[in-house]
Amino acid sequence: MNYIWYFLIVISIVFGAINGTLGEVAKAIFTGTELAVKIVLTLLGIMTFWLGIMKIAEKSGIVEFLSKLLNPVARKIFPEIPKDSPIIGDVAMNFSANALGLANAATPIGIKAIEGMQQLNKDKNSASDPMCTLLAMNTAGFQLIPATVIAILAANGAENPTEIILPTLIVTSTAFVSAILIAKLLKRIFPPQKESEVTNAD
Amino acid sequence: MPIREFIDILSLWALPSIILIILTVALVKKVAIYEAFIEGAKDGAKVSFNIIPYLVAIIVAISMLRASGVIDALALSCSGLLDKIHLPADVLPLAFVRSLSGSAAIGVFSDIVSNNDINSYTSKLAAIMLGCSETTFYVLTVYFGAIGVKKYRYALLTGLSADLIGIIMSIIVARFFFI
């Protein structure tokens, strides 16, 4: 992450200087911070609401029910997480919210799932294997119906905006399955997490 | 159009029905729902504030990158190669931007749609590409920010590989359906 962050900024500044857009680049620092705060404020409200709803779901046994229901699949995708752990229920709800296109609900629920994974994590500073898999599931953007895109197409006068549903579903399911498989593959290639300060050539 | 109506109903009802189901099941099971809500909601502020430093770091960097114009320049410079793989030059910025910023991706998509015929291959390919995208950088920043993880290990590589597969698959599928 250190290198990626460095390169994003250095490329922006160097290219900005060559391209004559250095002024815009400098201005982007302030618009960027503003945007970040705006996102956090929006997230703050949504997060508070959904963590409240999720606590109700947890206490009423819905999360546990989903955990049990999905246990066979979850065993394959998240072998590191203990059987019947509520984390699996959170992951299931996160997936369902994503599939239904409810990004606002999916994020807080997903964060609840990753918090659970952090409690099992042996090195709190680095991402554990189940975390990488959870994020693979989330970054692949699986969605049954791309409602936003259909709305934009319809607003611009497309003849048949819903014709993109099937192709999008094919693409997004392929990306989703590949993301999980890639995570499984990279897990074997990347060095395992360190216990804590035990040194291991970096 | 029955499909349109079905989708409208689904989008309208998805959220309310989930909330309705959760609350009703909870009430039947005699959970003190109001107290439970407050108990869970208390953590919302803490988690959100944890995310701030991570989000500022990444969003500033991405805003700078977009402002420098490097993405557009890159798109322009490989337009010759793009024709061969049936990726119109207009769509390329979307391929880059969709991993970086969700609102920017929608902006780029609106641009594409207004500069091209809405019923053209270009618009449809862009629609598929946008429909299957999730902003990888944002997702990683928010999730890892919430729990204070700083070493992403293979999470970013996984996300970006999946994005690339999404782009390639979008082209293949769009060609199959719409050419």
Side-chain angles (χ1 to χ4, degrees):
Chain A
M1 207 53 207
N2 289 321
Y3 292 108
I4 293 164
W5 198 58
Y6 177 78
F7 278 118
L8 283 175
I9 291 177
V10 167
I11 290 171
S12 313
I13 293 174
V14 172
F15 190 84
I18 299 169
N19 200 24
T21 46
L22 201 57
E24 278 86 349
V25 172
K27 217 187 285 166
I29 297 174
F30 302 104
T31 52
T33 51
E34 213 179 299
L35 179 62
V37 171
K38 222 181 264 173
I39 293 174
V40 168
L41 280 181
T42 317
L43 202 62
L44 174 65
I46 297 168
M47 199 78 188
T48 303
F49 178 75
W50 279 100
L51 288 181
I53 294 288
M54 281 302 286
K55 185 58 102 185
I56 299 174
E58 200 182 298
K59 291 204 166 174
S60 59
I62 295 173
V63 175
E64 200 191 331
F65 171 76
L66 281 172
S67 294
K68 288 216 167 101
L69 194 72
L70 286 163
N71 203 44
V73 191
R75 290 261 60 75
K76 292 236 160 57
I77 304 179
F78 296 102
E80 303 88 353
I81 295 175
K83 198 169 178 285
D84 292 336
S85 157
I87 299 171
I88 298 298
D90 291 338
V91 173
M93 293 206 52
N94 167 254
F95 172 76
S96 319
N98 271 325
L100 293 170
L102 307 171
N104 284 343
T107 307
I109 299 171
I111 289 175
K112 191 161 172 290
I114 206 171
E115 279 179 331
M117 291 173 180
Q118 178 73 327
Q119 281 169 14
L120 301 174
N121 195 0
K122 50 187 179 181
D123 174 8
K124 306 287 183 209
N125 276 317
S126 82
S128 66
D129 294 320
M131 288 176 187
C132 292
T133 310
L134 174 71
L135 288 179
M137 290 170 61
N138 273 281
T139 54
F142 179 75
Q143 198 178 348
L144 291 172
I145 292 170
T148 317
V149 182
I150 294 172
I152 300 174
L153 284 176
N156 283 282
E159 271 165 25
N160 186 7
T162 50
E163 70 186 343
I164 66 148
I165 294 177
L166 181 63
T168 307
L169 193 60
I170 296 173
V171 174
T172 196
S173 343
T174 318
F176 181 79
V177 175
S178 329
I180 294 174
L181 294 179
I182 292 167
K184 296 280 157 215
L185 179 76
L186 291 178
K187 178 186 161 183
R188 295 176 187 206
I189 298 172
F190 268 66
Q193 279 180 300
K194 291 166 204 166
E195 200 66 52
S196 54
E197 286 304 321
V198 189
T199 40
N200 204 333
D202 214 339
Chain B
M1 255 183 288
I3 314 176
R4 274 307 298 282
E5 277 167 33
F6 173 72
I7 291 164
D8 288 345
I9 292 171
L10 190 73
S11 334
L12 185 67
W13 276 95
L15 196 63
S17 50
I18 289 175
I19 295 175
L20 199 64
I21 292 169
I22 292 176
L23 293 185
T24 311
V25 172
L27 212 61
V28 169
K29 294 239 177 134
K30 300 204 166 29
V31 174
I33 54 174
Y34 184 71
E35 276 91 340
F37 181 89
I38 301 296
E39 189 190 331
K42 270 181 193 158
D43 291 333
K46 200 182 71 202
V47 176
S48 304
F49 282 113
N50 282 347
I51 300 171
I52 293 178
Y54 298 86
L55 209 58
V56 168
I58 203 74
I59 288 194
V60 166
I62 288 170
S63 300
M64 288 170 76
L65 191 73
R66 296 213 324 120
S68 74
V70 71
I71 295 174
D72 302 316
L74 211 61
L76 208 65
S77 66
C78 29
S79 59
L81 180 95
L82 298 175
D83 286 344
K84 284 187 191 141
I85 53 169
H86 290 264
L87 179 61
D90 280 359
V91 181
L92 192 68
L94 182 64
F96 285 113
V97 162
R98 60 174 217 142
S99 305
L100 300 174
S101 155
S103 53
I106 291 179
V108 173
F109 176 64
S110 304
D111 264 3
I112 296 171
V113 168
S114 55
N115 291 330
N116 292 277
D117 177 10
I118 185 82
N119 297 309
S120 65
Y121 166 74
T122 304
S123 296
K124 284 172 188 168
L125 171 62
I128 296 174
M129 218 177 256
L130 181 67
C132 70
S133 72
E134 185 58 73
T135 29
T136 299
F137 276 89
Y138 170 75
V139 171
L140 291 186
T141 307
V142 168
Y143 279 60
F144 284 141
I147 55 169
V149 159
K150 289 160 211 88
K151 290 178 187 145
Y152 292 5
R153 288 175 73 226
Y154 55 91
L156 182 63
L157 188 57
T158 307
L160 293 179
S161 316
D163 288 345
L164 184 65
I165 291 175
I167 292 168
I168 296 168
M169 277 303 289
S170 299
I171 300 171
I172 297 173
V173 172
R175 281 180 68 182
F176 178 77
F177 277 89
F178 302 122
I179 281 191

